Amino acid sequence: MSRRDFDPETVRADGRVAAKGVVFDAGAGGPWRGFLAGEVIGGEVTVLAYGNDTPGEGPRLHVHPYDETFVVVEGRARFFVGDEVIEAGAGEAVLGPAGVPHRFENIGQDRLQTIDIHHSPRWIQTDLD
């Protein structure tokens, strides 16, 4: 499928160069594998890697001053975003809007693995419980 969503002549490079950073150590244990702040590589988003093997387990209730997008890479999760409850599985994404408290938990019998995209060059969070 060929796409042409914009005219490349209308966009100017801003002078940044390609960069690489480590999000997580693939051999590390524990649920929080690591994160890469966008500001480290000159990007606009911060990327976190989270995973656990325990049903009912997940991050505590918290809030950010920016949007967060959760991509379920493996397993199933139940997301609590404000008053909404959303179940998502591998290949699906959930939005946590700025200023809305949220958390999620593993609802499968196997590993839950997510990539959490913070729409900010820095990870800024307030835990609520």
Side-chain angles (χ1 to χ4, degrees):
M1 175 175 98
S2 178
R3 293 184 60 160
R4 187 166 173 82
D5 296 331
F6 71 100
D7 179 357
E9 296 297 321
T10 65
V11 178
R12 298 247 157 91
D14 63 10
R16 291 179 297 155
V17 297
K20 179 175 93 170
V22 176
V23 176
F24 65 95
D25 174 356
W32 290 106
R33 297 275 173 102
F35 75 99
L36 176 62
E39 62 191 359
V40 170
I41 59 172
E44 295 294 321
V45 299
T46 295
V47 180
L48 283 72
Y50 175 85
N52 78 59
D53 299 300
T54 307
E57 187 175 297
R60 63 194 323 165
L61 185 67
H62 61 277
V63 66
H64 309 285
Y66 49 76
D67 290 348
E68 181 174 10
T69 301
F70 306 93
V71 179
V72 180
V73 176
E74 181 180 350
R76 291 196 55 76
R78 181 174 295 122
F79 291 85
F80 301 87
V81 184
D83 294 331
E84 301 293 323
V85 178
I86 300 169
E87 291 189 8
E92 296 181 309
V94 173
L95 174 68
V100 178
H102 55 272
R103 69 180 183 86
F104 61 90
E105 63 189 21
N106 184 345
I107 59 170
Q109 296 302 311
D110 298 313
R111 181 161 189 80
L112 168 65
Q113 185 68 56
T114 66
I115 295 294
D116 307 339
I117 303 165
H118 291 236
H119 296 242
S120 168
R122 290 187 305 122
W123 182 3
I124 304 167
Q125 176 171 310
T126 296
D127 293 333
L128 300 174
D129 66 357

